[in-house]
Amino acid sequence: MKKFGLLVAGGIASVILLSTIGPMVGLLVSLLLLYFIFKQFLKAESTGGKIGLGIIGFIVLMASIHNAPAIIGVVAAYVLYLVYKKWNENKHTKIKEESDPFVNFEKQWNELNKY
C-alpha cells in the first residue's frame, strides 16, 4: 500500500513537472537576462544608460513574474526526488543488513544476553 501511494504521488508530481517545463525554461532565461542587465546597470556611467537599462530590467522582471508557475514545477521536482528516495530506501537498508556479517552477530548476542 505504501508503494502505491508513492507511485500515485510520483505520477502526479511527474505530470506537474512535465506541464511546467515551459515556464521553468522561461523563468531561467528571464532571470539570466535580469542578472546580466543588473550587472550592466551597475557598470553604466551615464544617466541615460541607467534609465534605459532600468526600463529594460523592469520589463524583464515582469516577464519573470509572468513565469511564476515554474515555482510549482520546482516543488514538483523536489517531491519527485523525495518519492525516489523513499522508494529506494527499503532496498538499501535490506541489502545493507543482509551483507553486513556483524548485524547477525549483534542480534544473536542480544538474544543470548536476554537469558
Side-chain angles (χ1 to χ4, degrees), residues 7-17 76:
L7 186 67
V8 169
I12 292 171
S14 63
V15 167
I16 291 172
L17 179 65

Side-chain angles (χ1 to χ4, degrees), residues 61-72:
L61 180 66
M62 291 299 116
S64 297
I65 292 172
H66 177 71
N67 290 318
I71 296 170
I72 296 171

Side-chain angles (χ1 to χ4, degrees), residues 89-107:
E89 184 176 87
N90 294 335
K91 291 178 186 175
H92 293 300
T93 56
K94 287 180 184 176
I95 291 172
K96 190 181 244 184
E97 287 180 3
E98 291 174 358
S99 64
D100 191 6
F102 297 108
V103 173
N104 192 22
F105 174 76
E106 298 256 344
K107 287 180 185 177

Side-chain angles (χ1 to χ4, degrees), residues 36-49:
F36 288 121
I37 289 170
F38 180 72
K39 287 193 62 114
Q40 290 300 319
F41 178 81
L42 293 178
K43 289 180 185 177
E45 295 187 13
S46 68
T47 306

